[in-house]
Amino acid sequence: MAKKKKKSRKNRLGVKNSLVNNINARKKKGISRSKRKKTVKKSDYRKMKKGWKKD
């Protein structure tokens, strides 16, 4: 019997669900929100960026 590949779940933007993936997918597609409707604070984004790998 052949093993079935497990498909990763993707959201409506076509990326795996994670905050960073969603932000980047929206940027790529040119979908933006008004500043008032943004959900990620600058301070939180800065903290999140610290954990990213440098290429």
Side-chain angles (χ1 to χ4, degrees), residues 23-45:
I23 290 170
N24 291 334
R26 289 181 70 86
K27 255 191 240 176
K28 199 173 187 178
K29 291 194 174 199
I31 304 168
S32 61
R33 292 189 172 109
S34 70
K35 196 164 190 172
R36 192 169 52 116
K37 292 185 180 181
K38 290 191 187 288
T39 57
V40 182
K41 295 178 195 169
K42 282 184 181 180
S43 59
D44 293 338
Y45 191 77

Side-chain angles (χ1 to χ4, degrees), residues 2-40:
K3 289 184 179 180
K4 290 183 181 179
K5 274 192 175 180
K6 195 173 184 181
K7 286 187 178 182
S8 63
R9 288 209 135 162
K10 293 186 177 185
N11 60 17
R12 63 184 175 172
L13 292 171
V15 295
K16 187 177 172 190
N17 276 329
S18 84
L19 181 62
V20 176
N21 285 345
N22 289 335
I23 290 170
N24 291 334
R26 289 181 70 86
K27 255 191 240 176
K28 199 173 187 178
K29 291 194 174 199
I31 304 168
S32 61
R33 292 189 172 109
S34 70
K35 196 164 190 172
R36 192 169 52 116
K37 292 185 180 181
K38 290 191 187 288
T39 57
V40 182

